[in-house]
Amino acid sequence: MPSAPSSPSPDTWWRAAAIYQLYVRSFADGDGNGIGDLPGARAHLPYLAELGIDAIWFNPWYPSPMADAGYDIADYRSIDPVFGTLADADGLILEAHALGIKIIVDVVPNHASDRHPWFTAALAAGPGSAERARFWFRPGRGDDGSLPPNNWQSIFGGPAWTRVVEPDGSLGEWYLHLFAPEQPDFNWSSPDVRREFEDVLRFWFSRGVDGIRIDSAALLCKDPTLPDVSGSELPGPAHPFMDRDEVHSIYQSWRAIADSYAGRMLIGEVWLPDAARLARYVGPGELHTVFNFPYLNCPWDAASLRQVIDQTLALNAPLGGPATWVLSNHDVDRVVSRYGRPDTSFSLDRRAYFHSLPVDLALGTQRAKAAALLTMALPGSVYIYQGEELGLGEVQDIPDELRQDPIWARTHGADPGRDGSRVPLPWAGTEPPFGFSPAGASAEPWLPQPKEWRDLTVATESAHPGSMLRLYRDALRIRRSQPAFGDSPLTWQSSASGVLAFDRDECAPGGIVRCIANLSAGPVELPQDADVLLASGPVDDGLLPPDTSVWLRIA
Ligand code: GLC
């Protein structure tokens, strides 16, 4: 395979990598209990190698009571028995490396599980103790302390405070949880907390992982006076808990740790609407990259996408951090459903509205294919959420009694939550569990799979040249083998309204690769002196149909 002249060195493998997000509980079930696990994931590593990805990001695999699907961690240095053992993780890391695949693990530093030994010790130790200083315990307001210490609301709905029963049986202090009550927030002004997480980072780097995804990365630091919020605060130094300046000193020390191991990377989950503030998390001495949520949230509209792409590249270029491109993840609606709605934008706080819209799955799928080629042609790294390569849609009709996401329960059903993007993958066969669990499994998949997924299994799509899976495989193979797709900038080409056209690397020995994405209502004429490398749909008579993208080699 030819290597790009400007391709990243082994130490900066992440700069142009294709990274697969593996949501363990829904990827593959090895032991037949209806929940995905590490032996299941390991058995399917050859599938991922064939897909052509460079790295896997594992959602949390640690011991957890699963109040938030593993984002409530009780032990940061082990594996939940439902997923396997530490030996399984070691074996998986080794085998992935042997296949040329890097491993990224998820670390959740904003909060622990309420079963974490530090939190149970804090409950037992009582008010004013050193154990409680690692979290945010405060007396309540009102004469009898029966009102929460401030008016903060949980991101999952309801108050961000829960009152505890003290060791003597009386109602006592309250503790802060920006997410579910089972996820108490750490107090990052505690030196214990800082030391603990630096050690957790070293633990996983020493075990051979190549990167760490930092959960809720902008939320760690709180104003110690815990003031009420008025709702008008912008994320930033004056906000009581979002994007405060202190957070950067944490990531500076984490970066030093990552850099002390060769080739390790840190990627932050930073949900900020302001791209300039997002960029503050990236660069020398900060994180290597952050997820590009403005791109994910962007509607299927050429001018809006062009604006996000330009802004992303302009902000990243001086920082030396590569851009990342993300179409979906385990927290948002699946992309074929989003693009099949009359409103193709997305935001976490309007999920109920989006679910109320009609979905044209065929149109959404066509657009998602076009978006895949557009995304994979952009300079930087690309994240692919499991099932995206199969074109799975958001499952919006999960029966209420089977929903698991705490968002659903805490909003009393006002927000449908994220279960619809987390349904176990269909591998083969014509009925559930579609090869997700082995024959003779003792339980059904933990969320029900739609019967229509018989047409979207890995086995079915592998056999069909026009499938999403075949497109992803072809695109990832070409992206990896074409020198033009190395670590180089893009050059926009003039194009009609509603059309995005850009070239990658004029200096590459293989020549220029041009990506044209047609988001307009009519066909677009392709240049005559060009060979089609790959198209997201049929291209006849030199015309690129609407909602279709193409990669061309320009003579
Ligand atoms: C992040 C995760 C999400 C989780 C939340 C709390 O946003 O992606 O799944 O629920 O943090 O840890």
Side-chain angles (χ1 to χ4, degrees):
M1 199 169 292
S3 70
S6 53
S7 66
S9 79
D11 276 2
T12 53
W13 58 270
W14 36 272
R15 293 189 66 85
I19 298 161
Y20 188 87
Q21 180 189 349
L22 194 153
Y23 194 74
V24 194
R25 58 174 38 243
S26 300
F27 184 71
D29 169 19
D31 62 5
N33 65 355
I35 300 175
D37 48 41
L38 298 190
R42 186 171 175 178
H44 289 83
L45 285 176
Y47 166 75
L48 296 177
E50 189 185 356
L51 183 59
I53 49 103
D54 302 295
I56 305 170
W57 149 33
F58 278 88
N59 286 96
W61 54 17
Y62 314 101
S64 165
M66 306 285 168
D68 182 22
Y71 281 92
D72 46 321
I73 299 173
D75 177 356
Y76 287 79
R77 297 178 185 79
S78 188
I79 302 293
D80 194 282
V82 84
F83 296 142
T85 63
L86 204 48
D88 288 332
D90 288 340
L92 197 147
I93 294 167
L94 268 179
E95 193 167 325
H97 283 170
L99 289 166
I101 297 173
K102 314 265 189 206
I103 300 287
I104 297 171
V105 297
D106 214 318
V107 166
V108 184
N110 180 67
H111 46 267
S113 157
D114 61 347
R115 311 274 178 82
H116 188 285
W118 280 14
F119 192 73
T120 50
L123 288 181
S129 59
E131 287 84 349
R132 286 204 178 177
R134 294 163 171 165
F135 299 93
W136 292 100
F137 280 89
R138 289 291 183 278
R141 292 201 277 202
D143 291 342
D144 54 358
S146 63
L147 300 172
N150 68 23
N151 70 353
W152 298 4
Q153 293 296 297
S154 151
I155 292 163
F156 286 171
W161 295 91
T162 291
R163 196 170 191 187
V164 305
V165 176
E166 298 297 357
D168 66 5
S170 64
L171 274 177
E173 292 191 317
W174 298 69
Y175 68 89
L176 175 69
H177 49 86
L178 287 183
F179 294 92
E182 297 86 353
Q183 294 168 295
D185 279 44
F186 282 113
N187 182 341
W188 271 88
S189 34
S190 155
D192 287 358
V193 173
R194 282 195 169 240
R195 263 197 307 272
E196 169 67 0
F197 276 93
E198 291 179 6
D199 194 61
V200 166
L201 255 55
R202 290 195 187 92
F203 177 87
W204 287 105
F205 284 147
S206 304
R207 290 200 103 80
V209 312
D210 306 279
I212 287 184
R213 180 244 185 207
I214 305 163
D215 185 69
S216 304
L219 299 180
L220 274 50
C221 296
K222 279 91 188 175
D223 179 339
T225 67
L226 302 173
D228 279 343
V229 287
S230 66
S232 61
E233 296 90 348
L234 294 173
H239 192 283
F241 59 81
M242 202 181 292
D243 188 33
R244 293 173 62 78
D245 284 346
E246 303 93 285
V247 84
H248 294 283
S249 80
I250 299 169
Y251 299 135
Q252 281 149 16
S253 56
W254 287 24
R255 175 64 183 255
I257 292 170
D259 285 349
S260 70
Y261 296 79
R264 308 308 213 272
M265 64 86 93
L266 301 169
I267 171 150
E269 186 214 22
V270 187
W271 284 99
L272 286 179
D274 176 351
R277 290 206 65 85
L278 188 62
R280 294 176 75 234
Y281 287 77
V282 185
E286 283 273 347
L287 306 180
H288 297 86
T289 60
V290 291
F291 289 101
N292 190 342
F293 293 129
Y295 186 73
L296 184 155
N297 286 337
C298 190
W300 182 243
D301 168 75
S304 312
L305 283 165
R306 169 83 193 248
Q307 194 185 12
V308 173
I309 293 167
D310 279 341
Q311 192 175 39
T312 304
L313 295 173
L315 286 169
N316 277 285
L319 302 166
T324 66
W325 307 102
V326 195
L327 287 173
S328 60
N329 67 29
H330 65 295
D331 291 327
V332 306
D333 282 11
R334 283 200 176 270
V335 71
V336 302
S337 299
R338 293 204 321 260
Y339 287 165
R341 293 173 182 150
D343 179 345
T344 54
S345 68
F346 187 74
S347 68
L348 288 173
D349 52 352
R350 295 171 69 218
R351 200 170 358 232
Y353 152 72
F354 291 115
H355 282 220
S356 74
L357 301 174
V359 181
D360 179 339
L361 269 184
L363 178 65
T365 302
Q366 187 179 343
R367 288 176 170 169
K369 285 179 174 169
L373 288 202
L374 169 67
T375 305
M376 288 193 237
L378 292 167
S381 57
V382 60
Y383 283 78
I384 298 162
Y385 175 47
Q386 69 178 39
E388 190 182 307
E389 82 278 20
L390 301 175
L392 303 183
E394 183 75 7
V395 184
Q396 294 185 190
D397 58 357
I398 296 175
D400 291 353
E401 64 280 10
L402 297 181
R403 289 184 189 272
Q404 313 263 337
D405 187 355
I407 291 182
W408 159 257
R410 284 187 64 81
T411 61
H412 307 290
D415 184 329
R418 303 162 293 180
D419 292 320
S421 65
R422 300 174 175 183
V423 174
L425 290 194
W427 290 93
T430 53
E431 52 192 61
F434 297 119
F436 168 72
S437 297
S442 61
E444 292 179 0
W446 69 282
L447 285 172
Q449 300 160 303
K451 60 179 182 335
E452 297 75 29
W453 282 12
R454 65 177 167 255
D455 299 328
L456 299 174
T457 64
V458 170
T460 300
E461 292 202 29
S462 297
H464 284 97
S467 70
M468 187 73 86
L469 179 57
R470 294 281 288 264
L471 181 75
Y472 267 72
R473 280 187 187 147
D474 288 345
L476 288 164
R477 179 177 41 78
I478 293 171
R479 185 179 182 275
R480 195 182 256 186
S481 63
Q482 287 294 319
F485 283 132
D487 197 9
S488 61
L490 62 68
T491 315
W492 289 107
Q493 301 299 307
S494 62
S495 57
S497 155
V499 178
L500 296 171
F502 58 87
D503 285 356
R504 293 295 307 279
D505 204 346
E506 286 132 65
C507 313
I512 298 171
V513 175
R514 178 169 300 169
C515 175
I516 306 178
N518 182 7
L519 288 80
S520 75
V524 169
E525 218 169 294
L526 294 174
Q528 296 198 332
D529 55 345
D531 294 332
V532 173
L533 283 172
L534 187 61
S536 68
V539 175
D540 296 318
D541 305 325
L543 291 177
L544 185 66
D547 293 315
T548 308
S549 297
V550 69
W551 289 355
L552 304 172
R553 188 199 301 286
I554 305 291

